[in-house]
Amino acid sequence: MESSNVLVPLTLASSAALQMGSGGRNNPTLVCAPIMAESVDKMVINMNKAKQGDADLVEIRLDSLKSFNPSNDLKTIIKASPLPTLFTYRPKWEGGQYDGDEKKRLDALRLAMEFGADYIDVELQVACEFNDSIYGRKPENSKVIVSSHNYQDTPSAEDLGNLVARIQATGADIVKIATTALEIADVARIFQITVHSQVPIIGIVMGERGFMSRILCPKFGGFLTFGTIESGIVSAPGQPTMKDLLHLYNLRRIGPDTKVFGIIGKPVHHSKSPMLYNEAFKSVCFNGVYIPLLVDDVANFLQTYSSTDFAGFSCTIPHKEAALKCCDEVDPVAKSIGAVNCIIRRPTDGKLVGYNTDYVGAISAIEDGLRGSHNSSNTADSPLAGKLFVVIGAGGAGKALAYGAKEKGARVVIANRTYDRARELADTIGGDALSLANLDNFHPEDGMILANSTSIGMQPKVDETPIPKHALRSYSLVFDAVYTPKMTRLLREAEESGAKIVTGLEMFIGQAYEQFERFTGLPAPKELFRKVMANN
């Protein structure tokens, strides 16, 4: 695979292309709501919804209409639209729904232009023919977007550059390229093309691995991004809602010098971290954005996005151990645990520094649970001292829990599906090992503590549990690192069995305090964190 770490070593603070916008906007990137409906009446309703949702323009997908009378319907739509209009009549051969006569399709787009459409989207394959046909008759206020969609992959930087040149050669006012991400590193090539473009450009990478292209386009000078009026109704894979774009990711506040943070994981879209950190960044006026990053190869990701603008990352399942190996420096505690969940790119030299904030978050939440309080007590002795502490899972989070419990004087037992991994971790920290299957009948004493560090029971597999209910009777406290859902089957059954429970939410909030402070250099807004998580 080609090395792409040269692709994003950029800061755009000096870019003349992006002036400070009006009304508190830090960028001129437009938010466009795709309007797909079977009837013109429904389109008019949805255009008004887009206006209420604060979109800048609407994309009218004519190919979604069940019946279409160009001269009447186009006039109705343009007259009724409360926002500027972009007309797209996408044929099947370019991923759309239209499967009729090409001449009729292009005639309809020409007519839309005559009637006052602000933008027309024409595919590269027919752009020269279309532009020749309107030569000299194009209304002054109408712009032609020439688009190319690739549903297979994202070409090389060189091929993308050639593609932009071909689109420009058609006489396009605006270039649009939509590609597909096979891995998250592909997005860097679109960012490179966007930031160096001399003409207005829309650069989108489709699919979940391309998601950040939709959020970060204002940082790199993209002309517009698409946001749906409601979730689930998308015109291309991976589109966020307008609400998320504007209120979760604060898109209009993203500028060329905005720092990028995110959560590296697989899966990752269930994470509540973006909600938490973006709200906190906004509350302290910190110029950063925090996004979900679906990463397959953590080393390649960190190498590709090597600029100091990509300033810090949370790290979750399954990358905590692999991420440690990618760091230039590792905090001694994280080194002892053998896993990192927080990576900071040092602004002075771009070096990656790894930390583990999991163990503090989890252990203090468990101690508070044992003490029956949310306020950490500073008594010298931990309520974990001398307790038998059973950890399910031997991955990064399991290592953090085992290390933290051992530090507090607990006797630690590791239970894992593969016994050898449990044995390896137990030997490292000085504990005992079990296979997960043997945990069902393991009760050498009463009053033990159980901590699940695996993803068993996480959405969408909420009916799963790592241990049967009858085996929970020997535990005085059960902790689950899973926090979506907050009340897992394991915790529900533990509570029914008489144990105290500590949710993964407590650990999540605890570990997030330290990460926020490392990301921003500012004290964590703890009350806000609790409020955000209580409401979501």
Side-chain angles (χ1 to χ4, degrees), residues 130-371:
F130 181 83
N131 281 337
D132 287 349
S133 74
I134 57 166
Y135 186 72
R137 290 187 298 115
K138 190 174 103 172
E140 200 178 319
N141 295 333
S142 216
K143 298 268 190 284
V144 176
I145 298 170
V146 174
S147 60
S148 164
H149 295 77
N150 181 331
Y151 292 93
Q152 277 68 53
D153 58 16
T154 299
S156 68
E158 188 183 351
D159 286 348
L160 285 170
N162 293 338
L163 180 59
V164 170
R166 276 176 59 210
I167 293 175
Q168 282 182 256
T170 65
D173 297 304
I174 298 160
V175 170
K176 179 186 176 189
I177 297 175
T179 66
T180 300
L182 301 180
E183 58 175 335
I184 198 166
D186 295 346
V187 183
R189 301 199 283 282
I190 290 291
F191 287 156
Q192 184 192 35
I193 289 296
T194 307
V195 82
H196 291 122
S197 178
Q198 301 305 304
V199 296
I201 185 166
I202 302 162
I204 297 290
V205 188
M206 296 180 284
E208 200 185 337
R209 287 167 176 81
F211 184 77
M212 72 168 164
S213 70
R214 299 177 178 281
I215 309 299
L216 296 183
C217 58
K219 180 174 175 60
F220 298 106
F223 181 75
L224 65 75
T225 190
F226 294 92
T228 64
I229 52 175
E230 47 197 281
S231 62
I233 303 172
V234 299
S235 60
Q239 278 176 356
T241 61
M242 270 195 309
K243 189 179 172 194
D244 280 356
L245 278 178
L246 296 174
H247 304 293
L248 170 56
Y249 298 108
N250 307 311
L251 185 105
R252 292 197 170 123
R253 305 298 305 165
I254 297 173
D257 49 355
T258 298
K259 295 290 185 193
V260 180
F261 302 85
I263 178 158
I264 296 170
K266 185 184 178 181
V268 79
H269 255 75
H270 67 281
S271 174
K272 294 204 165 48
S273 294
M275 202 183 304
L276 192 70
Y277 290 106
N278 285 320
E279 194 61 38
F281 289 168
K282 192 162 55 175
S283 78
V284 298
C285 297
F286 178 76
N287 188 8
V289 62
Y290 187 104
I291 51 182
L293 301 162
L294 179 60
V295 171
D296 301 284
D297 178 338
V298 71
N300 188 38
F301 169 82
L302 292 167
Q303 190 184 354
T304 301
Y305 300 97
S306 58
S307 115
T308 53
D309 274 13
F310 287 81
F313 308 100
S314 309
C315 199
T316 189
I317 294 169
H319 296 311
K320 295 183 184 196
E321 293 153 282
L324 181 139
K325 298 185 179 81
C326 301
C327 293
D328 300 296
E329 293 172 23
V330 179
D331 178 74
V333 171
K335 198 171 270 183
S336 304
I337 293 168
V340 300
N341 73 316
C342 177
I343 301 169
I344 301 297
R345 182 168 270 120
R346 202 161 44 206
T348 48
D349 58 8
K351 291 270 200 290
L352 295 172
V353 187
Y355 299 92
N356 193 304
T357 68
D358 274 340
Y359 84 104
V360 177
I363 296 299
S364 33
I366 291 166
E367 286 180 325
D368 289 348
L370 288 168
R371 293 189 184 107

Side-chain angles (χ1 to χ4, degrees), residues 18 35 60 97 104 139 143 172 182 225 237 241 262 275 311 319 336 342 373 381 386 390 392 482 494 510 513 517 523:
L18 287 179
I35 305 295
I60 309 297
Q97 297 177 37
K104 282 185 182 167
K143 298 268 190 284
L182 301 180
T225 190
T241 61
M275 202 183 304
H319 296 311
S336 304
C342 177
S373 139
D381 283 342
V390 178
I392 300 176
V482 171
Y513 293 155
E517 291 175 0

